[in-house]
């Protein structure tokens, strides 16, 4: 890998194991002066568009060509890293898709098929199923996934789809 920079609290050995070019050691202090753990930050200067179409983005993951196709089809495409080796590629939700989900959920609640708690989970799962590109989300095969994946992905999809403002200011 080229052009990678990693910032790690106090573990340069981990950065070396990840094969990065540069390591910066950072110590962060909490309010009482104690050291606070920080996350690993990896910066790559390589863009998807510059990669060959058959190159995997991560081992066992989608190829650069797949990502390029999704970007052409959906516009914005994101990746969420659940662990160091588990990543989810997803897209934003458009207004028509959102309106259809709300309408369907309302129909299920009014018909007595879902309680309000079930409706919330149904909505999260429907958003995950619709917007997860890799791996594809399958409601039927839910046994093999972490319980929080639909909640996490639906929250991130809604935020990226404009349901949370980046900044609000009084004029």
């Amino acid at each position: 890998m080229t052009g990678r920079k990693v910032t790690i609290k106090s573990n340069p050995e981990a950065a070396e194991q990840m094969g990065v070019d540069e390591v910066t050691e950072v110590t962060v202090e909490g309010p009482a002066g104690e050291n606070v753990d920080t996350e690993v930050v990896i910066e790559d200067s390589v863009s998807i568009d510059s990669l060959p179409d058959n190159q995997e983005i991560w081992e066992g993951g989608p190829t650069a060509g797949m990502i390029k196709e999704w970007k052409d089809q959906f516009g914005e495409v994101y990746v969420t890293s659940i662990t160091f080796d588990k990543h989810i590629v997803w897209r934003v939700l458009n207004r028509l898709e959102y309106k259809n989900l709300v309408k369907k959920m309302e129909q299920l609640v009014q018909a007595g098929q879902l309680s309000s708690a079930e409706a919330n989970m149904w909505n999260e799962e429907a958003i995950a199923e619709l917007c997860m590109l890799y791996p594809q989300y399958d409601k039927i095969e839910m046994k093999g996934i972490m319980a929080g994946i639909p909640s996490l992905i639906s929250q991130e999809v809604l935020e990226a789809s404009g349901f949370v403002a980046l900044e609000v200011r009084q004029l």
Side-chain angles (χ1 to χ4, degrees), residues 70 74 76-78 88-94 97-98 101 124-137 153-154 156-158 161:
W70 290 328
F74 301 112
E76 298 177 22
V77 175
Y78 299 87
I88 297 173
V89 179
W90 53 274
R91 65 173 179 89
V92 297
L93 187 66
N94 67 44
E97 291 168 332
Y98 177 72
L101 286 174
E124 291 173 346
E125 292 168 2
I127 290 171
E129 184 175 33
L130 187 62
C131 295
M132 279 178 58
L133 302 172
Y134 189 91
Q136 285 188 319
Y137 182 81
I153 295 302
S154 67
E156 291 188 344
V157 165
L158 291 174
S161 298

PDB file of all heavy atoms in Angstrom, residues 70 74 76-78 88-94 97-98 101 124-137 153-154 156-158 161:
ATOM      1  N   TRP A  70     -21.581   0.999  -8.688  1.00  0.00           N
ATOM      2  CA  TRP A  70     -22.528   1.475  -7.684  1.00  0.00           C
ATOM      3  C   TRP A  70     -22.539   2.997  -7.627  1.00  0.00           C
ATOM      4  O   TRP A  70     -23.593   3.609  -7.472  1.00  0.00           O
ATOM      5  CB  TRP A  70     -22.207   0.890  -6.316  1.00  0.00           C
ATOM      6  CG  TRP A  70     -22.485  -0.576  -6.206  1.00  0.00           C
ATOM      7  CD1 TRP A  70     -23.457  -1.290  -6.851  1.00  0.00           C
ATOM      8  CD2 TRP A  70     -21.779  -1.520  -5.410  1.00  0.00           C
ATOM      9  NE1 TRP A  70     -23.391  -2.619  -6.495  1.00  0.00           N
ATOM     10  CE2 TRP A  70     -22.375  -2.792  -5.604  1.00  0.00           C
ATOM     11  CE3 TRP A  70     -20.704  -1.436  -4.544  1.00  0.00           C
ATOM     12  CZ2 TRP A  70     -21.936  -3.934  -4.965  1.00  0.00           C
ATOM     13  CZ3 TRP A  70     -20.264  -2.576  -3.898  1.00  0.00           C
ATOM     14  CH2 TRP A  70     -20.875  -3.811  -4.115  1.00  0.00           C
ATOM     15  N   PHE A  74     -25.909   4.860  -8.086  1.00  0.00           N
ATOM     16  CA  PHE A  74     -26.533   5.456  -6.907  1.00  0.00           C
ATOM     17  C   PHE A  74     -25.961   6.806  -6.507  1.00  0.00           C
ATOM     18  O   PHE A  74     -26.518   7.473  -5.632  1.00  0.00           O
ATOM     19  CB  PHE A  74     -26.432   4.502  -5.711  1.00  0.00           C
ATOM     20  CG  PHE A  74     -27.075   3.168  -5.943  1.00  0.00           C
ATOM     21  CD1 PHE A  74     -26.304   2.014  -6.027  1.00  0.00           C
ATOM     22  CD2 PHE A  74     -28.451   3.060  -6.095  1.00  0.00           C
ATOM     23  CE1 PHE A  74     -26.895   0.780  -6.239  1.00  0.00           C
ATOM     24  CE2 PHE A  74     -29.052   1.827  -6.301  1.00  0.00           C
ATOM     25  CZ  PHE A  74     -28.272   0.687  -6.376  1.00  0.00           C
ATOM     26  N   GLU A  76     -23.757   8.537  -4.315  1.00  0.00           N
ATOM     27  CA  GLU A  76     -22.919   8.426  -3.125  1.00  0.00           C
ATOM     28  C   GLU A  76     -22.890   6.992  -2.604  1.00  0.00           C
ATOM     29  O   GLU A  76     -23.929   6.362  -2.438  1.00  0.00           O
ATOM     30  CB  GLU A  76     -23.428   9.372  -2.047  1.00  0.00           C
ATOM     31  CG  GLU A  76     -23.371  10.822  -2.479  1.00  0.00           C
ATOM     32  CD  GLU A  76     -23.937  11.756  -1.427  1.00  0.00           C
ATOM     33  OE1 GLU A  76     -23.982  11.383  -0.245  1.00  0.00           O
ATOM     34  OE2 GLU A  76     -24.320  12.866  -1.807  1.00  0.00           O
ATOM     35  N   VAL A  77     -21.673   6.485  -2.358  1.00  0.00           N
ATOM     36  CA  VAL A  77     -21.469   5.142  -1.818  1.00  0.00           C
ATOM     37  C   VAL A  77     -20.512   5.275  -0.636  1.00  0.00           C
ATOM     38  O   VAL A  77     -19.516   5.989  -0.718  1.00  0.00           O
ATOM     39  CB  VAL A  77     -20.893   4.189  -2.890  1.00  0.00           C
ATOM     40  CG1 VAL A  77     -20.567   2.838  -2.298  1.00  0.00           C
ATOM     41  CG2 VAL A  77     -21.869   4.037  -4.046  1.00  0.00           C
ATOM     42  N   TYR A  78     -20.831   4.591   0.454  1.00  0.00           N
ATOM     43  CA  TYR A  78     -20.059   4.694   1.688  1.00  0.00           C
ATOM     44  C   TYR A  78     -19.624   3.314   2.159  1.00  0.00           C
ATOM     45  O   TYR A  78     -20.191   2.305   1.756  1.00  0.00           O
ATOM     46  CB  TYR A  78     -20.902   5.332   2.797  1.00  0.00           C
ATOM     47  CG  TYR A  78     -21.351   6.731   2.479  1.00  0.00           C
ATOM     48  CD1 TYR A  78     -22.528   6.961   1.764  1.00  0.00           C
ATOM     49  CD2 TYR A  78     -20.611   7.827   2.890  1.00  0.00           C
ATOM     50  CE1 TYR A  78     -22.954   8.250   1.475  1.00  0.00           C
ATOM     51  CE2 TYR A  78     -21.025   9.113   2.600  1.00  0.00           C
ATOM     52  CZ  TYR A  78     -22.187   9.321   1.890  1.00  0.00           C
ATOM     53  OH  TYR A  78     -22.600  10.593   1.596  1.00  0.00           O
ATOM     54  N   ILE A  88     -18.954  -2.879   5.547  1.00  0.00           N
ATOM     55  CA  ILE A  88     -20.237  -2.866   4.853  1.00  0.00           C
ATOM     56  C   ILE A  88     -20.259  -1.672   3.910  1.00  0.00           C
ATOM     57  O   ILE A  88     -20.001  -0.539   4.323  1.00  0.00           O
ATOM     58  CB  ILE A  88     -21.406  -2.784   5.849  1.00  0.00           C
ATOM     59  CG1 ILE A  88     -21.413  -4.039   6.735  1.00  0.00           C
ATOM     60  CG2 ILE A  88     -22.733  -2.607   5.118  1.00  0.00           C
ATOM     61  CD1 ILE A  88     -22.393  -4.002   7.860  1.00  0.00           C
ATOM     62  N   VAL A  89     -20.569  -1.931   2.645  1.00  0.00           N
ATOM     63  CA  VAL A  89     -20.710  -0.873   1.649  1.00  0.00           C
ATOM     64  C   VAL A  89     -22.199  -0.598   1.498  1.00  0.00           C
ATOM     65  O   VAL A  89     -22.993  -1.527   1.365  1.00  0.00           O
ATOM     66  CB  VAL A  89     -20.101  -1.298   0.284  1.00  0.00           C
ATOM     67  CG1 VAL A  89     -20.286  -0.195  -0.751  1.00  0.00           C
ATOM     68  CG2 VAL A  89     -18.625  -1.642   0.448  1.00  0.00           C
ATOM     69  N   TRP A  90     -22.554   0.679   1.524  1.00  0.00           N
ATOM     70  CA  TRP A  90     -23.961   1.056   1.455  1.00  0.00           C
ATOM     71  C   TRP A  90     -24.130   2.370   0.703  1.00  0.00           C
ATOM     72  O   TRP A  90     -23.168   3.054   0.414  1.00  0.00           O
ATOM     73  CB  TRP A  90     -24.577   1.132   2.849  1.00  0.00           C
ATOM     74  CG  TRP A  90     -23.818   1.998   3.816  1.00  0.00           C
ATOM     75  CD1 TRP A  90     -22.763   1.619   4.603  1.00  0.00           C
ATOM     76  CD2 TRP A  90     -24.024   3.387   4.088  1.00  0.00           C
ATOM     77  NE1 TRP A  90     -22.310   2.683   5.348  1.00  0.00           N
ATOM     78  CE2 TRP A  90     -23.068   3.781   5.051  1.00  0.00           C
ATOM     79  CE3 TRP A  90     -24.933   4.332   3.616  1.00  0.00           C
ATOM     80  CZ2 TRP A  90     -22.997   5.077   5.551  1.00  0.00           C
ATOM     81  CZ3 TRP A  90     -24.867   5.624   4.113  1.00  0.00           C
ATOM     82  CH2 TRP A  90     -23.899   5.992   5.069  1.00  0.00           C
ATOM     83  N   ARG A  91     -25.386   2.661   0.392  1.00  0.00           N
ATOM     84  CA  ARG A  91     -25.708   3.869  -0.364  1.00  0.00           C
ATOM     85  C   ARG A  91     -26.772   4.668   0.380  1.00  0.00           C
ATOM     86  O   ARG A  91     -27.369   4.187   1.345  1.00  0.00           O
ATOM     87  CB  ARG A  91     -26.232   3.493  -1.740  1.00  0.00           C
ATOM     88  CG  ARG A  91     -27.563   2.739  -1.675  1.00  0.00           C
ATOM     89  CD  ARG A  91     -28.152   2.512  -3.046  1.00  0.00           C
ATOM     90  NE  ARG A  91     -29.396   1.789  -3.025  1.00  0.00           N
ATOM     91  CZ  ARG A  91     -30.600   2.343  -2.917  1.00  0.00           C
ATOM     92  NH1 ARG A  91     -30.720   3.646  -2.778  1.00  0.00           N
ATOM     93  NH2 ARG A  91     -31.686   1.609  -2.952  1.00  0.00           N
ATOM     94  N   VAL A  92     -26.995   5.889  -0.086  1.00  0.00           N
ATOM     95  CA  VAL A  92     -28.017   6.723   0.534  1.00  0.00           C
ATOM     96  C   VAL A  92     -29.409   6.296   0.059  1.00  0.00           C
ATOM     97  O   VAL A  92     -29.555   5.564  -0.917  1.00  0.00           O
ATOM     98  CB  VAL A  92     -27.791   8.228   0.243  1.00  0.00           C
ATOM     99  CG1 VAL A  92     -26.473   8.698   0.853  1.00  0.00           C
ATOM    100  CG2 VAL A  92     -27.826   8.514  -1.239  1.00  0.00           C
ATOM    101  N   LEU A  93     -30.403   6.786   0.751  1.00  0.00           N
ATOM    102  CA  LEU A  93     -31.802   6.502   0.476  1.00  0.00           C
ATOM    103  C   LEU A  93     -32.386   7.732  -0.226  1.00  0.00           C
ATOM    104  O   LEU A  93     -32.150   8.862   0.205  1.00  0.00           O
ATOM    105  CB  LEU A  93     -32.506   6.284   1.817  1.00  0.00           C
ATOM    106  CG  LEU A  93     -33.935   5.813   1.884  1.00  0.00           C
ATOM    107  CD1 LEU A  93     -34.059   4.398   1.333  1.00  0.00           C
ATOM    108  CD2 LEU A  93     -34.402   5.826   3.350  1.00  0.00           C
ATOM    109  N   ASN A  94     -33.135   7.539  -1.303  1.00  0.00           N
ATOM    110  CA  ASN A  94     -33.742   8.706  -1.945  1.00  0.00           C
ATOM    111  C   ASN A  94     -35.139   8.947  -1.366  1.00  0.00           C
ATOM    112  O   ASN A  94     -35.691   8.109  -0.647  1.00  0.00           O
ATOM    113  CB  ASN A  94     -33.749   8.593  -3.479  1.00  0.00           C
ATOM    114  CG  ASN A  94     -34.654   7.508  -4.009  1.00  0.00           C
ATOM    115  OD1 ASN A  94     -35.786   7.335  -3.574  1.00  0.00           O
ATOM    116  ND2 ASN A  94     -34.158   6.762  -4.994  1.00  0.00           N
ATOM    117  N   GLU A  97     -37.960   6.327  -2.160  1.00  0.00           N
ATOM    118  CA  GLU A  97     -37.767   5.086  -1.394  1.00  0.00           C
ATOM    119  C   GLU A  97     -38.213   5.283   0.052  1.00  0.00           C
ATOM    120  O   GLU A  97     -38.872   4.414   0.637  1.00  0.00           O
ATOM    121  CB  GLU A  97     -36.298   4.656  -1.435  1.00  0.00           C
ATOM    122  CG  GLU A  97     -35.840   4.185  -2.795  1.00  0.00           C
ATOM    123  CD  GLU A  97     -34.336   4.040  -2.903  1.00  0.00           C
ATOM    124  OE1 GLU A  97     -33.582   4.748  -2.199  1.00  0.00           O
ATOM    125  OE2 GLU A  97     -33.907   3.191  -3.714  1.00  0.00           O
ATOM    126  N   TYR A  98     -37.854   6.422   0.631  1.00  0.00           N
ATOM    127  CA  TYR A  98     -38.235   6.718   2.012  1.00  0.00           C
ATOM    128  C   TYR A  98     -39.752   6.800   2.160  1.00  0.00           C
ATOM    129  O   TYR A  98     -40.333   6.211   3.078  1.00  0.00           O
ATOM    130  CB  TYR A  98     -37.575   8.017   2.470  1.00  0.00           C
ATOM    131  CG  TYR A  98     -37.966   8.431   3.856  1.00  0.00           C
ATOM    132  CD1 TYR A  98     -37.499   7.737   4.967  1.00  0.00           C
ATOM    133  CD2 TYR A  98     -38.821   9.514   4.075  1.00  0.00           C
ATOM    134  CE1 TYR A  98     -37.867   8.107   6.247  1.00  0.00           C
ATOM    135  CE2 TYR A  98     -39.195   9.889   5.349  1.00  0.00           C
ATOM    136  CZ  TYR A  98     -38.715   9.182   6.432  1.00  0.00           C
ATOM    137  OH  TYR A  98     -39.085   9.540   7.701  1.00  0.00           O
ATOM    138  N   LEU A 101     -41.257   3.342   2.072  1.00  0.00           N
ATOM    139  CA  LEU A 101     -41.027   2.608   3.327  1.00  0.00           C
ATOM    140  C   LEU A 101     -41.982   3.083   4.416  1.00  0.00           C
ATOM    141  O   LEU A 101     -42.559   2.272   5.148  1.00  0.00           O
ATOM    142  CB  LEU A 101     -39.579   2.780   3.791  1.00  0.00           C
ATOM    143  CG  LEU A 101     -38.510   2.024   3.023  1.00  0.00           C
ATOM    144  CD1 LEU A 101     -37.122   2.408   3.514  1.00  0.00           C
ATOM    145  CD2 LEU A 101     -38.720   0.529   3.137  1.00  0.00           C
ATOM    146  N   GLU A 124     -35.789  -0.395  10.227  1.00  0.00           N
ATOM    147  CA  GLU A 124     -34.326  -0.522  10.196  1.00  0.00           C
ATOM    148  C   GLU A 124     -33.897  -1.618   9.226  1.00  0.00           C
ATOM    149  O   GLU A 124     -32.984  -1.426   8.416  1.00  0.00           O
ATOM    150  CB  GLU A 124     -33.778  -0.834  11.592  1.00  0.00           C
ATOM    151  CG  GLU A 124     -33.894   0.288  12.576  1.00  0.00           C
ATOM    152  CD  GLU A 124     -33.499  -0.109  13.980  1.00  0.00           C
ATOM    153  OE1 GLU A 124     -33.378  -1.320  14.279  1.00  0.00           O
ATOM    154  OE2 GLU A 124     -33.307   0.803  14.795  1.00  0.00           O
ATOM    155  N   GLU A 125     -34.561  -2.764   9.306  1.00  0.00           N
ATOM    156  CA  GLU A 125     -34.210  -3.883   8.432  1.00  0.00           C
ATOM    157  C   GLU A 125     -34.526  -3.588   6.973  1.00  0.00           C
ATOM    158  O   GLU A 125     -33.762  -3.962   6.077  1.00  0.00           O
ATOM    159  CB  GLU A 125     -34.934  -5.151   8.907  1.00  0.00           C
ATOM    160  CG  GLU A 125     -34.420  -5.635  10.243  1.00  0.00           C
ATOM    161  CD  GLU A 125     -35.290  -6.700  10.879  1.00  0.00           C
ATOM    162  OE1 GLU A 125     -36.298  -7.118  10.279  1.00  0.00           O
ATOM    163  OE2 GLU A 125     -34.959  -7.112  12.009  1.00  0.00           O
ATOM    164  N   ALA A 126     -35.636  -2.885   6.719  1.00  0.00           N
ATOM    165  CA  ALA A 126     -35.995  -2.538   5.341  1.00  0.00           C
ATOM    166  C   ALA A 126     -34.975  -1.568   4.748  1.00  0.00           C
ATOM    167  O   ALA A 126     -34.580  -1.707   3.582  1.00  0.00           O
ATOM    168  CB  ALA A 126     -37.400  -1.935   5.303  1.00  0.00           C
ATOM    169  N   ILE A 127     -34.523  -0.609   5.533  1.00  0.00           N
ATOM    170  CA  ILE A 127     -33.504   0.334   5.053  1.00  0.00           C
ATOM    171  C   ILE A 127     -32.191  -0.404   4.794  1.00  0.00           C
ATOM    172  O   ILE A 127     -31.547  -0.193   3.761  1.00  0.00           O
ATOM    173  CB  ILE A 127     -33.306   1.495   6.047  1.00  0.00           C
ATOM    174  CG1 ILE A 127     -34.544   2.401   6.041  1.00  0.00           C
ATOM    175  CG2 ILE A 127     -32.049   2.299   5.718  1.00  0.00           C
ATOM    176  CD1 ILE A 127     -34.558   3.451   7.124  1.00  0.00           C
ATOM    177  N   ALA A 128     -31.798  -1.276   5.712  1.00  0.00           N
ATOM    178  CA  ALA A 128     -30.558  -2.043   5.524  1.00  0.00           C
ATOM    179  C   ALA A 128     -30.648  -2.906   4.273  1.00  0.00           C
ATOM    180  O   ALA A 128     -29.715  -2.953   3.470  1.00  0.00           O
ATOM    181  CB  ALA A 128     -30.272  -2.908   6.754  1.00  0.00           C
ATOM    182  N   GLU A 129     -31.778  -3.573   4.089  1.00  0.00           N
ATOM    183  CA  GLU A 129     -31.951  -4.443   2.929  1.00  0.00           C
ATOM    184  C   GLU A 129     -31.899  -3.645   1.631  1.00  0.00           C
ATOM    185  O   GLU A 129     -31.307  -4.079   0.639  1.00  0.00           O
ATOM    186  CB  GLU A 129     -33.277  -5.190   3.035  1.00  0.00           C
ATOM    187  CG  GLU A 129     -33.498  -6.192   1.927  1.00  0.00           C
ATOM    188  CD  GLU A 129     -34.762  -7.002   2.121  1.00  0.00           C
ATOM    189  OE1 GLU A 129     -35.758  -6.469   2.665  1.00  0.00           O
ATOM    190  OE2 GLU A 129     -34.750  -8.183   1.736  1.00  0.00           O
ATOM    191  N   LEU A 130     -32.476  -2.474   1.627  1.00  0.00           N
ATOM    192  CA  LEU A 130     -32.533  -1.644   0.433  1.00  0.00           C
ATOM    193  C   LEU A 130     -31.184  -0.999   0.110  1.00  0.00           C
ATOM    194  O   LEU A 130     -30.797  -0.920  -1.052  1.00  0.00           O
ATOM    195  CB  LEU A 130     -33.599  -0.558   0.632  1.00  0.00           C
ATOM    196  CG  LEU A 130     -33.945   0.327  -0.543  1.00  0.00           C
ATOM    197  CD1 LEU A 130     -34.516  -0.498  -1.696  1.00  0.00           C
ATOM    198  CD2 LEU A 130     -34.961   1.379  -0.104  1.00  0.00           C
ATOM    199  N   CYS A 131     -30.453  -0.573   1.129  1.00  0.00           N
ATOM    200  CA  CYS A 131     -29.264   0.261   0.904  1.00  0.00           C
ATOM    201  C   CYS A 131     -27.922  -0.454   1.046  1.00  0.00           C
ATOM    202  O   CYS A 131     -26.908   0.068   0.578  1.00  0.00           O
ATOM    203  CB  CYS A 131     -29.309   1.465   1.839  1.00  0.00           C
ATOM    204  SG  CYS A 131     -30.700   2.562   1.483  1.00  0.00           S
ATOM    205  N   MET A 132     -27.883  -1.605   1.706  1.00  0.00           N
ATOM    206  CA  MET A 132     -26.611  -2.332   1.810  1.00  0.00           C
ATOM    207  C   MET A 132     -26.259  -2.921   0.448  1.00  0.00           C
ATOM    208  O   MET A 132     -27.055  -3.644  -0.143  1.00  0.00           O
ATOM    209  CB  MET A 132     -26.682  -3.431   2.871  1.00  0.00           C
ATOM    210  CG  MET A 132     -26.486  -2.923   4.269  1.00  0.00           C
ATOM    211  SD  MET A 132     -26.632  -4.191   5.567  1.00  0.00           S
ATOM    212  CE  MET A 132     -25.403  -5.383   5.103  1.00  0.00           C
ATOM    213  N   LEU A 133     -25.076  -2.607  -0.031  1.00  0.00           N
ATOM    214  CA  LEU A 133     -24.617  -3.094  -1.322  1.00  0.00           C
ATOM    215  C   LEU A 133     -23.694  -4.295  -1.174  1.00  0.00           C
ATOM    216  O   LEU A 133     -23.708  -5.203  -1.996  1.00  0.00           O
ATOM    217  CB  LEU A 133     -23.907  -1.972  -2.081  1.00  0.00           C
ATOM    218  CG  LEU A 133     -24.749  -0.722  -2.335  1.00  0.00           C
ATOM    219  CD1 LEU A 133     -23.897   0.389  -2.909  1.00  0.00           C
ATOM    220  CD2 LEU A 133     -25.913  -1.059  -3.258  1.00  0.00           C
ATOM    221  N   TYR A 134     -22.868  -4.272  -0.121  1.00  0.00           N
ATOM    222  CA  TYR A 134     -21.938  -5.388   0.099  1.00  0.00           C
ATOM    223  C   TYR A 134     -21.658  -5.522   1.586  1.00  0.00           C
ATOM    224  O   TYR A 134     -21.263  -4.533   2.203  1.00  0.00           O
ATOM    225  CB  TYR A 134     -20.629  -5.164  -0.647  1.00  0.00           C
ATOM    226  CG  TYR A 134     -19.761  -6.397  -0.609  1.00  0.00           C
ATOM    227  CD1 TYR A 134     -19.853  -7.353  -1.599  1.00  0.00           C
ATOM    228  CD2 TYR A 134     -18.885  -6.613   0.444  1.00  0.00           C
ATOM    229  CE1 TYR A 134     -19.072  -8.503  -1.551  1.00  0.00           C
ATOM    230  CE2 TYR A 134     -18.119  -7.751   0.495  1.00  0.00           C
ATOM    231  CZ  TYR A 134     -18.212  -8.691  -0.492  1.00  0.00           C
ATOM    232  OH  TYR A 134     -17.457  -9.827  -0.441  1.00  0.00           O
ATOM    233  N   PRO A 135     -21.828  -6.661   2.163  1.00  0.00           N
ATOM    234  CA  PRO A 135     -22.560  -7.782   1.597  1.00  0.00           C
ATOM    235  C   PRO A 135     -24.043  -7.432   1.529  1.00  0.00           C
ATOM    236  O   PRO A 135     -24.513  -6.573   2.269  1.00  0.00           O
ATOM    237  CB  PRO A 135     -22.309  -8.915   2.596  1.00  0.00           C
ATOM    238  CG  PRO A 135     -22.060  -8.227   3.895  1.00  0.00           C
ATOM    239  CD  PRO A 135     -21.410  -6.928   3.547  1.00  0.00           C
ATOM    240  N   GLN A 136     -24.761  -8.110   0.664  1.00  0.00           N
ATOM    241  CA  GLN A 136     -26.184  -7.838   0.561  1.00  0.00           C
ATOM    242  C   GLN A 136     -26.876  -8.297   1.832  1.00  0.00           C
ATOM    243  O   GLN A 136     -26.564  -9.357   2.377  1.00  0.00           O
ATOM    244  CB  GLN A 136     -26.789  -8.545  -0.644  1.00  0.00           C
ATOM    245  CG  GLN A 136     -26.440  -7.891  -1.951  1.00  0.00           C
ATOM    246  CD  GLN A 136     -27.222  -8.497  -3.096  1.00  0.00           C
ATOM    247  OE1 GLN A 136     -27.397  -9.689  -3.172  1.00  0.00           O
ATOM    248  NE2 GLN A 136     -27.687  -7.645  -3.988  1.00  0.00           N
ATOM    249  N   TYR A 137     -27.808  -7.494   2.306  1.00  0.00           N
ATOM    250  CA  TYR A 137     -28.580  -7.829   3.494  1.00  0.00           C
ATOM    251  C   TYR A 137     -29.773  -8.683   3.079  1.00  0.00           C
ATOM    252  O   TYR A 137     -30.477  -8.354   2.134  1.00  0.00           O
ATOM    253  CB  TYR A 137     -29.060  -6.550   4.182  1.00  0.00           C
ATOM    254  CG  TYR A 137     -29.830  -6.813   5.448  1.00  0.00           C
ATOM    255  CD1 TYR A 137     -29.161  -7.082   6.631  1.00  0.00           C
ATOM    256  CD2 TYR A 137     -31.218  -6.796   5.461  1.00  0.00           C
ATOM    257  CE1 TYR A 137     -29.861  -7.327   7.802  1.00  0.00           C
ATOM    258  CE2 TYR A 137     -31.928  -7.039   6.626  1.00  0.00           C
ATOM    259  CZ  TYR A 137     -31.234  -7.303   7.794  1.00  0.00           C
ATOM    260  OH  TYR A 137     -31.923  -7.554   8.943  1.00  0.00           O
ATOM    261  N   ILE A 153     -26.575   0.519  10.335  1.00  0.00           N
ATOM    262  CA  ILE A 153     -26.580   0.914   8.924  1.00  0.00           C
ATOM    263  C   ILE A 153     -27.764   1.831   8.631  1.00  0.00           C
ATOM    264  O   ILE A 153     -27.612   2.840   7.942  1.00  0.00           O
ATOM    265  CB  ILE A 153     -26.568  -0.317   8.001  1.00  0.00           C
ATOM    266  CG1 ILE A 153     -25.248  -1.090   8.169  1.00  0.00           C
ATOM    267  CG2 ILE A 153     -26.774   0.091   6.547  1.00  0.00           C
ATOM    268  CD1 ILE A 153     -23.983  -0.293   7.877  1.00  0.00           C
ATOM    269  N   SER A 154     -28.944   1.534   9.164  1.00  0.00           N
ATOM    270  CA  SER A 154     -30.096   2.404   8.890  1.00  0.00           C
ATOM    271  C   SER A 154     -29.866   3.800   9.460  1.00  0.00           C
ATOM    272  O   SER A 154     -30.222   4.798   8.820  1.00  0.00           O
ATOM    273  CB  SER A 154     -31.393   1.801   9.428  1.00  0.00           C
ATOM    274  OG  SER A 154     -31.397   1.747  10.836  1.00  0.00           O
ATOM    275  N   GLU A 156     -26.914   5.300   9.868  1.00  0.00           N
ATOM    276  CA  GLU A 156     -25.933   5.963   9.023  1.00  0.00           C
ATOM    277  C   GLU A 156     -26.535   6.347   7.672  1.00  0.00           C
ATOM    278  O   GLU A 156     -26.235   7.415   7.133  1.00  0.00           O
ATOM    279  CB  GLU A 156     -24.699   5.088   8.853  1.00  0.00           C
ATOM    280  CG  GLU A 156     -23.918   4.982  10.141  1.00  0.00           C
ATOM    281  CD  GLU A 156     -22.585   4.287   9.986  1.00  0.00           C
ATOM    282  OE1 GLU A 156     -22.349   3.617   8.961  1.00  0.00           O
ATOM    283  OE2 GLU A 156     -21.759   4.424  10.902  1.00  0.00           O
ATOM    284  N   VAL A 157     -27.382   5.479   7.114  1.00  0.00           N
ATOM    285  CA  VAL A 157     -28.050   5.784   5.844  1.00  0.00           C
ATOM    286  C   VAL A 157     -28.914   7.033   6.000  1.00  0.00           C
ATOM    287  O   VAL A 157     -28.868   7.943   5.167  1.00  0.00           O
ATOM    288  CB  VAL A 157     -28.900   4.588   5.356  1.00  0.00           C
ATOM    289  CG1 VAL A 157     -29.869   5.015   4.259  1.00  0.00           C
ATOM    290  CG2 VAL A 157     -28.006   3.461   4.867  1.00  0.00           C
ATOM    291  N   LEU A 158     -29.699   7.097   7.071  1.00  0.00           N
ATOM    292  CA  LEU A 158     -30.563   8.254   7.284  1.00  0.00           C
ATOM    293  C   LEU A 158     -29.750   9.530   7.471  1.00  0.00           C
ATOM    294  O   LEU A 158     -30.097  10.581   6.930  1.00  0.00           O
ATOM    295  CB  LEU A 158     -31.504   8.016   8.465  1.00  0.00           C
ATOM    296  CG  LEU A 158     -32.585   6.956   8.229  1.00  0.00           C
ATOM    297  CD1 LEU A 158     -33.360   6.688   9.515  1.00  0.00           C
ATOM    298  CD2 LEU A 158     -33.522   7.359   7.107  1.00  0.00           C
ATOM    299  N   SER A 161     -28.405  10.550   4.190  1.00  0.00           N
ATOM    300  CA  SER A 161     -29.493  10.882   3.273  1.00  0.00           C
ATOM    301  C   SER A 161     -30.144  12.219   3.601  1.00  0.00           C
ATOM    302  O   SER A 161     -31.163  12.573   3.026  1.00  0.00           O
ATOM    303  CB  SER A 161     -30.551   9.772   3.295  1.00  0.00           C
ATOM    304  OG  SER A 161     -29.996   8.549   2.864  1.00  0.00           O
TER     305      SER A 161
END
